[in-house]
Amino acid sequence: MFEKVVFPVENNNKSQAELYREERKARLAKAAEKSSKQSAKSVKAKQLTTKIIAIVLAVVVGLGAVYGVLSFFDVPQKVIKVSIDNADGTNTYKISAGEYNYYYFTSWVNFYQQSMQYEQYMGAGAGLTYTGFDSTKAPADQEFTEDTAKMYGISMEDLGNPEKATWADAIKYSTVNNIISVKYGASKAKENKIALTDEQKKEIEDNIDSIEQAAHEKDYSTNRWLRAQYGKGVTEKVIRQVLEENYLSNSYFESVQENITAAITDNDINAEYDKNKDEFDLVDIRLYSFKTTFKESEHKDLSEEEHDKIHEEEFAKTKKLADEFLAKVKDEASFIAAAKSAILTADNKSTKDPDKETLIEKTTKATLSQSSEELAKWVYDDARKVGDVTVVDDGNGTYHVVMIKTLPFKDMTFSASDVRHILITFPEAKKDEDGKTVAITDEQKAKTKADAQKVLDEYLKNPTEENFIELTKKHTGDVDEDGKPNKGGLYEKVANDGSYVKAFTDWSIDATRKPGDTGLVETEYGYHIMYFVKAHDGFKWQADVKAKLVSEQYTAQVSDVVENEASNIKFDTFLLNWMTKNIEKTIKNLILANS
């Protein structure tokens, strides 16, 4: 029923090319997920985080004695609808039980798969720890706590059952918000004469065909198969309607975002930057932190006064260490030397590089604030000068020794670039008698680099993009499972977002690059023969400012407008609860079947 998503893990029996393909797959999947999230962002409607529309659920249901017979044939799920009206009654949305079941089921699968990923990668219990969701239990059988609500950015009151909420309440909330946002977007698309494209129509038909094929393989009718997968009332007609509304809704929200983006000028970007430089500027600093170790369990029997005294004594010891470190610092070299001494004092076996351990480059004020508001405030103070050094007291027993390496500056790398590459992989990793991987030797690295240089020299005899593509077909180790190169080695919109190894990214977004530039880059996989195609969207600082302006204007033009559709949400209604119980039965059966 479910595909189990497995995080890539190290396999020392695999070649560098195989490892690279696995890493590339993960990276492309991440890029696809990011793209999907950006599309979804068009409605500022992440599950369980944003109230897309305030609604009132008005339910009037009459259940006769024939209910039991009708239920067997899914009659209630097909004909009963929930009316969702806005505050002034001008808009009414109808949700069938079949639609609700489909959206509820897909919301559940989303949380299920997230939890399973952590379980498979980090071990039993990790899914619950990091997502708050237990993949072994149906939503109705697990509590939705205050802590989990905070994790997803909602309040317990949003769920209609704040005193004793379950994950079923949370997914119900997510489901209804999702349905309303889609239906609102679809209605606005029709108002604005936005129709399904031929490509979208084909994708819908392809989806329906795949469903029919899956049903045929199980010797089921299409509707019977859908009912078994998604719950009662889910038919081919419902799926087609859901797909059409989702495509229309996405098209509308994307059109709004595109119009906003196109209207933002360079003057707008410069004005916003001048007004809020600290939000966008980067700094380089040296940082070494001392943290008080205080075990509450060892002092639980002490009085409050004795407890506070020990606290103060432990804090004072930690601050003394930080002050002693500070006293040794005269310049950057002495900072690194002091860090080396502190690292060895903490662990005389440590092999940590004090230079790398203390250097923080291109960090933002927001990032520093996540670890310490006081630290960020001191670093970004207008009075700072290069070489300034101090001890910052967090007030919680942590003391940061920090030195200013650069004053705040604009990020002048490209926001994103298209590049091509030819990968000449290192030799396959070997193992010693103990089964440990033997490191690649300097001689092997030199041989791989020489091989890469030969290919680059061959390209330089005819330095055209077409020739580079041809050489990719002959030489690259970056191929798919069928042994075919990745689109002539092309990677589009490479950005500094963690999707690529650092050396590859740094070369790609270097603002000195011009179309046609080439070079060799070493990574853990081998040597990359790089070819620069083009840059996108100017410099990174400009793209960051523009993204903020787009988000703010989108919120004002779309999200806020949608929220003003009505006044408040009532989820604790008979019919909505009845529909939730029905789809929960389907989910419980699936969990049992897959356990």
Side-chain angles (χ1 to χ4, degrees):
M1 173 55 209
F2 304 110
E3 289 187 19
K4 295 183 177 180
V5 182
V6 182
F7 282 90
V9 295
E10 184 177 2
N11 186 333
N12 291 329
N13 293 319
K14 297 180 180 178
S15 68
Q16 290 294 325
E18 289 173 318
L19 290 171
Y20 185 82
R21 286 198 292 275
E22 289 185 357
E23 184 271 341
R24 188 189 70 191
K25 274 185 177 180
R27 183 173 65 246
L28 292 177
K30 181 177 178 180
E33 180 185 7
K34 180 180 177 183
S35 174
S36 172
K37 287 179 180 176
Q38 286 173 340
S39 266
K41 206 183 281 184
S42 342
V43 291
K44 202 183 180 185
K46 286 196 295 183
Q47 290 182 3
L48 294 172
T49 57
T50 309
K51 296 178 186 176
I52 297 302
I53 185 170
I55 56 176
V56 176
L57 296 179
V59 182
V60 181
V61 183
L63 298 177
V66 294
Y67 170 78
V69 177
L70 294 177
S71 180
F72 180 81
F73 296 102
D74 291 357
V75 174
Q77 285 81 2
K78 292 176 181 176
V79 301
I80 294 176
K81 293 180 181 289
V82 179
S83 294
I84 301 179
D85 302 322
N86 68 346
D88 58 14
T90 56
N91 284 335
T92 299
Y93 303 94
K94 299 286 187 179
I95 302 176
S96 70
E99 285 180 280
Y100 179 83
N101 286 349
Y102 175 82
Y103 277 99
Y104 188 100
F105 182 89
T106 52
S107 289
W108 167 68
V109 168
N110 177 52
F111 293 112
Y112 174 91
Q113 290 185 333
Q114 286 179 15
S115 183
M116 284 296 295
Q117 285 176 347
Y118 282 103
E119 294 283 323
Q120 292 162 357
Y121 185 57
M122 301 178 70
L128 179 60
T129 299
Y130 290 100
T131 70
F133 186 81
D134 188 342
S135 60
T136 67
K137 295 181 179 179
D141 294 334
Q142 50 183 308
E143 184 182 4
F144 191 82
T145 66
E146 283 274 8
D147 288 341
T148 307
K150 289 176 183 177
M151 185 186 302
Y152 291 98
I154 64 172
S155 71
M156 299 294 284
E157 286 69 24
D158 289 329
L159 307 183
N161 189 18
E163 300 302 322
K164 196 177 180 181
T166 67
W167 262 95
D169 296 311
I171 295 180
K172 177 172 61 175
Y173 174 82
S174 168
T175 298
V176 174
N177 275 280
N178 193 20
I179 292 173
I180 297 308
S181 66
V182 169
K183 287 185 176 291
Y184 172 83
S187 68
K188 296 299 289 185
K190 291 174 183 176
E191 279 182 29
N192 287 273
K193 311 299 182 186
I194 298 173
L196 293 171
T197 65
D198 289 341
E199 182 180 0
Q200 289 170 336
K201 290 177 182 177
K202 183 180 183 305
E203 288 178 359
I204 290 172
E205 293 307 320
D206 288 345
N207 270 282
I208 297 298
D209 287 346
S210 67
I211 290 171
E212 290 175 346
Q213 178 63 30
H216 176 73
E217 289 174 359
K218 294 292 185 182
D219 200 24
Y220 278 16
S221 69
T222 300
N223 286 344
R224 183 185 172 200
W225 185 87
L226 285 169
R227 180 174 65 183
Q229 300 304 303
Y230 298 109
K232 294 181 178 181
V234 182
T235 63
E236 180 183 336
K237 181 179 179 181
V238 168
I239 295 295
R240 187 178 294 277
Q241 176 188 330
V242 165
L243 291 173
E244 289 177 354
E245 288 181 343
N246 270 272
Y247 276 115
L248 287 172
S249 181
N250 282 339
S251 294
Y252 168 70
F253 291 127
E254 286 171 5
S255 71
V256 173
Q257 192 164 352
E258 287 167 3
N259 291 337
I260 292 171
T261 302
I264 293 173
T265 67
D266 288 343
N267 287 338
D268 295 330
I269 292 172
N270 290 329
E272 177 63 25
Y273 170 79
D274 289 339
K275 189 167 60 176
N276 297 295
K277 288 184 180 181
D278 281 1
E279 286 187 41
F280 308 106
D281 279 349
L282 308 176
V283 293
D284 297 340
I285 62 173
R286 291 279 175 187
L287 181 69
Y288 193 91
S289 301
F290 294 86
K291 188 171 183 179
T292 303
T293 55
F294 185 83
K295 297 180 180 179
E296 294 286 349
S297 59
E298 296 178 1
H299 307 289
K300 59 184 179 181
D301 296 328
L302 299 179
S303 67
E304 185 175 343
E305 185 177 331
E306 291 171 323
H307 188 279
D308 291 345
K309 182 181 179 182
I310 292 177
H311 248 284
E312 290 175 9
E313 290 173 351
E314 294 296 322
F315 281 16
K317 289 178 184 177
T318 307
K319 186 176 187 306
K320 183 181 178 183
L321 292 174
D323 289 339
E324 289 171 349
F325 185 111
L326 179 65
K328 298 175 184 178
V329 176
K330 307 301 178 186
D331 52 23
E332 211 176 338
S334 57
F335 192 106
I336 295 169
K340 181 178 181 179
S341 175
I343 290 170
L344 290 173
T345 299
D347 178 4
N348 59 17
K349 297 179 181 179
S350 179
T351 58
K352 291 180 180 178
D353 182 341
D355 187 357
K356 292 181 179 179
E357 289 293 318
T358 60
L359 180 59
I360 299 178
E361 296 181 294
K362 293 186 176 181
T363 190
T364 63
K365 186 175 185 179
T367 300
L368 288 176
S369 295
Q370 290 175 7
S371 59
S372 171
E373 289 282 353
E374 292 301 317
L375 177 63
K377 183 179 177 181
W378 185 85
V379 169
Y380 276 82
D381 192 303
D382 290 339
R384 292 285 73 78
K385 299 186 297 294
V386 173
D388 280 357
V389 61
T390 193
V391 172
V392 174
D393 180 358
D394 259 2
N396 61 4
T398 301
Y399 300 89
H400 307 280
V401 186
V402 56
M403 170 181 273
I404 302 296
K405 184 174 171 65
T406 68
L407 294 177
F409 60 92
K410 292 178 178 177
D411 189 343
M412 298 298 290
T413 58
F414 288 134
S415 62
S417 302
D418 293 350
V419 297
R420 294 185 186 275
H421 82 135
I422 299 170
L423 174 63
I424 308 300
T425 59
F426 288 132
E428 290 189 21
K430 295 182 179 180
K431 294 185 177 181
D432 61 19
E433 295 178 353
D434 297 326
K436 294 181 180 179
T437 302
V438 178
I440 295 171
T441 65
D442 290 341
E443 289 77 13
Q444 289 174 317
K445 281 190 175 184
K447 171 67 168 56
T448 305
K449 185 177 182 180
D451 291 342
Q453 186 63 52
K454 287 179 184 177
V455 178
L456 179 56
D457 291 341
E458 187 178 351
Y459 161 77
L460 292 172
K461 294 175 183 177
N462 178 22
T464 65
E465 189 170 359
E466 291 74 17
N467 185 36
F468 194 94
I469 294 170
E470 287 303 311
L471 291 171
T472 301
K473 296 175 184 177
K474 296 179 184 178
H475 299 289
T476 191
D478 179 10
V479 295
D480 61 23
E481 292 174 350
D482 297 323
K484 295 179 180 179
N486 170 48
K487 297 189 297 183
L490 179 65
Y491 283 101
E492 298 174 292
K493 295 192 174 181
V494 175
N496 189 19
D497 60 2
S499 297
Y500 302 84
V501 291
K502 187 176 186 301
F504 186 98
T505 301
D506 288 348
W507 192 96
S508 301
I509 63 175
D510 186 331
T512 64
R513 299 275 169 254
K514 299 183 296 295
D517 279 357
T518 57
L520 294 182
V521 171
E522 180 189 343
T523 72
E524 62 197 273
Y525 304 106
Y527 276 90
H528 305 255
I529 305 160
M530 305 294 295
Y531 179 93
F532 191 82
V533 181
K534 66 179 181 180
H536 290 274
D537 303 324
F539 298 121
K540 181 67 165 55
W541 74 269
Q542 294 170 317
D544 289 345
V545 176
K546 191 172 187 176
K548 180 192 176 188
L549 291 173
V550 169
S551 177
E552 290 176 346
Q553 292 184 35
Y554 185 89
T555 298
Q557 292 185 32
V558 176
S559 300
D560 288 349
V561 172
V562 174
E563 286 186 5
N564 288 333
E565 278 278 290
S567 55
N568 50 88
I569 302 171
K570 293 182 180 177
F571 288 99
D572 196 15
T573 63
F574 172 78
L575 185 53
L576 204 55
N577 290 336
W578 170 77
M579 291 193 294
T580 302
K581 287 179 181 178
N582 272 279
I583 185 61
E584 279 283 314
K585 290 178 184 177
T586 300
I587 290 172
K588 286 181 181 180
N589 290 335
L590 287 170
I591 291 174
L592 285 173
N594 283 272
S595 60

